[in-house]
Amino acid sequence: MPLVSMNHFLPQAKKEGFAVGQFNVNNLEYFQAITEAAKEERSPLIFGASEGAIRYVGLNNIVALAKVAAEESGLPIALHLDHGSSFEMVMKCIRAGFSSVMFDGSHYPFEENIRLTKKVVEAAHAVGVSVEGELGTIGGVEDDLDVAEEDATLANPEQAIRFWEETRVDAMAIAVGTAHGMYKGEPKIRYDIIEKVAKNIDAPIVLHGGSGVPDESIKKAVSLGVGKINVNTENQVAQVQVIRELLDKNPDMIDPRKYLGPSREAIKEVVKGKMRLFGSSGKA
Ligand code: 13P
């Protein structure tokens, strides 16, 4: 199957009350681990590629790896630009073969965010590519984005509803208290904001910073209208733990396959667990 836009599965997710995971890709092993997990779970999936990951892996390599995963697995897979910072970057990814993009205009004033996001939606929808927009600023560190906790601002529900009405994005990321990276304590999620926005727009809500959020909180958020959840850090933690242990125990180990292979299994297990938790297992 070729890569698909998120509209292949997000409307169904919103209707049936499950969420599809966006799993960020950092190198080849992530593509392999996430695809294997989705095959075993029969789950739709979204590969998330940040601008940092694109610089590291290479734009054409990312597209090629995602296409191979979709063709060989037969699963509905979207390749999604995570936190796209400009119209130019969005267009570059669409031209290279991405099937979905996020335009993150959350740091612009509200009206400017609407204007720029609308421009992205117009261009992307013309070629069948889905779009995620963002309102409010999500705290934490992810690649080029570094938002101090005190600077993270929650989304205003009325503004979020108007943002969707004007832009018609296919997925709506709103800051509701989660953050990129692992949490020191438990995140305080504003379920009331999720509920109010989800009830008033057709698109599902996107929860960024999915790593480290307790299972019960995820279930509640999904029941209220979250239809896409982003996960990156938990996979990185699982991967590096295995590599550290193996290299500590075997100082002479030099073949990367000997430590990257087992760490790939660890990523796969995390992803499978998330797919079950999000309710996307069996939905492909
Ligand atoms: P985590 O790294 O906290 O899982 O967040 C991922 C994310 O939101 C990507 O946009």
Side-chain angles (χ1 to χ4, degrees), residues 22 24 82-83 142 179-181 208-211 230-234:
Q22 171 194 305
N24 283 58
D82 192 22
H83 293 285
E142 199 199 23
H180 293 127
H208 280 248
S211 294
N230 295 3
V231 177
N232 187 19
T233 307
E234 260 188 73

Side-chain angles (χ1 to χ4, degrees), residues 104-127:
D104 179 359
S106 60
H107 47 285
Y108 288 103
F110 181 60
E111 298 299 338
E112 185 67 354
N113 188 3
I114 290 184
R115 189 183 71 77
L116 293 168
T117 307
K118 258 171 116 165
K119 206 172 132 194
V120 168
V121 171
E122 215 173 282
H125 281 183
V127 288

Side-chain angles (χ1 to χ4, degrees), residues 49-56 81-86 89 143-144:
S50 66
E51 293 185 11
I54 292 171
R55 283 196 297 274
Y56 180 77
L81 169 65
D82 192 22
H83 293 285
S85 62
S86 66
M89 188 62 197
D143 280 351
D144 307 339

Side-chain angles (χ1 to χ4, degrees), residues 31-109:
F31 282 97
Q32 295 172 320
I34 297 162
T35 309
E36 279 306 307
K39 266 163 60 182
E40 287 178 25
E41 291 298 317
R42 300 300 315 155
S43 170
L45 86 90
I46 302 159
F47 286 129
S50 66
E51 293 185 11
I54 292 171
R55 283 196 297 274
Y56 180 77
V57 183
L59 185 63
N60 292 332
N61 284 337
I62 288 201
V63 174
L65 289 166
K67 279 187 174 163
V68 168
E71 275 156 23
E72 289 188 352
S73 69
L75 293 168
I77 298 180
L79 174 60
H80 183 71
L81 169 65
D82 192 22
H83 293 285
S85 62
S86 66
F87 183 78
E88 290 69 31
M89 188 62 197
V90 162
M91 293 312 291
K92 201 171 155 188
C93 288
I94 293 176
R95 273 197 296 269
F98 277 54
S99 61
S100 189
V101 290
M102 173 182 191
F103 173 70
D104 179 359
S106 60
H107 47 285
Y108 288 103

Side-chain angles (χ1 to χ4, degrees), residues 22-24 48 50 80 82-83 102 132 134 138-142 145 178-183 206-213 228-236 274:
Q22 171 194 305
F23 300 98
N24 283 58
S50 66
H80 183 71
D82 192 22
H83 293 285
M102 173 182 191
E132 174 181 340
E134 180 176 321
I138 294 156
V141 182
E142 199 199 23
L145 297 172
T178 55
H180 293 127
M182 291 307 256
Y183 300 91
V206 183
L207 195 67
H208 280 248
S211 294
V213 179
K228 173 177 181 279
I229 303 175
N230 295 3
V231 177
N232 187 19
T233 307
E234 260 188 73
N235 283 331
Q236 296 181 336
K274 297 295 177 197

